[in-house]
Amino acid sequence: MLDDKGNLFIIDAVLIVGLLLFAFIVFNQAIFMPDSYYSSEIKDSKNAQDVMESLSGKINFTDKTFLGDISAILKDGKNSKESINKVCELSKDKLSSFNLKNYRFSETNMLDDKVLASSGEYSDADNVSVAIRTYGDYSYTLSVW
């Protein structure tokens, strides 16, 4: 029995290709790793860094930054109560624009860890993200939970 037309060869080739495709699919499923979905906790952990970047970034394409402005107010006022109160008001207004539920913004170097603005109870916080930036002699810490 001779196969002059090559029908058996074509059927044999299709079966081999099908078998290789099946083996590839089985192998691919065996090594497949599901995508990792980030929880809201991971998203929240970046909030402090994101907000602090905004505070230390340029305002309206000028050379001024928010941290630079409040540092200048404190330095010019020689860390007086009036200058600290003014910075506290500015900080509360600025941080309220970021719609943060719970935060604490403080200066940790020149003002001995003075809280400039806060919202929420820090002692109840269980997952706190922290960002620190220094401007001149002043070191600012933002905690978000």
Side-chain angles (χ1 to χ4, degrees):
M1 174 175 185
L2 294 173
D3 184 21
D4 293 334
K5 295 182 183 177
N7 290 335
L8 290 177
F9 179 73
I10 291 174
I11 292 172
D12 191 33
V14 169
L15 286 174
I16 295 290
V17 169
L19 184 61
L20 287 173
L21 183 62
F22 179 75
F24 177 73
I25 290 172
V26 168
F27 179 73
N28 191 27
Q29 290 296 323
I31 64 169
F32 175 73
M33 298 175 98
D35 293 336
S36 58
Y37 295 100
Y38 297 111
S39 69
S40 61
E41 291 178 11
I42 293 174
K43 182 181 176 193
D44 288 341
S45 70
K46 295 183 180 180
N47 268 347
Q49 293 293 336
D50 294 342
V51 172
M52 193 59 95
E53 282 297 316
S54 296
L55 296 177
S56 61
K58 305 291 183 188
I59 300 172
N60 297 331
F61 303 106
T62 64
D63 289 335
K64 294 183 176 184
T65 65
F66 179 76
L67 295 182
D69 287 346
I70 63 174
S71 296
I73 291 169
L74 290 171
K75 186 176 181 179
D76 293 343
K78 298 180 182 172
N79 300 333
S80 65
K81 287 191 180 213
E82 294 82 22
S83 64
I84 292 173
N85 289 337
K86 184 174 182 179
V87 167
C88 288
E89 289 177 29
L90 290 173
S91 298
K92 286 177 187 176
D93 292 341
K94 185 69 170 180
L95 290 171
S96 67
S97 69
F98 290 107
N99 296 325
L100 299 173
K101 292 181 186 176
N102 301 311
Y103 64 88
R104 184 169 75 174
F105 183 64
S106 59
E107 199 290 322
T108 57
N109 189 30
M110 298 296 288
L111 302 179
D112 296 325
D113 208 20
K114 170 75 175 161
V115 176
L116 302 174
S118 67
S119 173
E121 189 62 39
Y122 187 72
S123 61
D124 294 340
D126 59 349
N127 185 14
V128 180
S129 66
V130 178
I132 300 171
R133 295 291 184 280
T134 301
Y135 193 91
D137 292 334
Y138 298 94
S139 181
Y140 300 97
T141 301
L142 175 66
S143 303
V144 177
W145 63 95

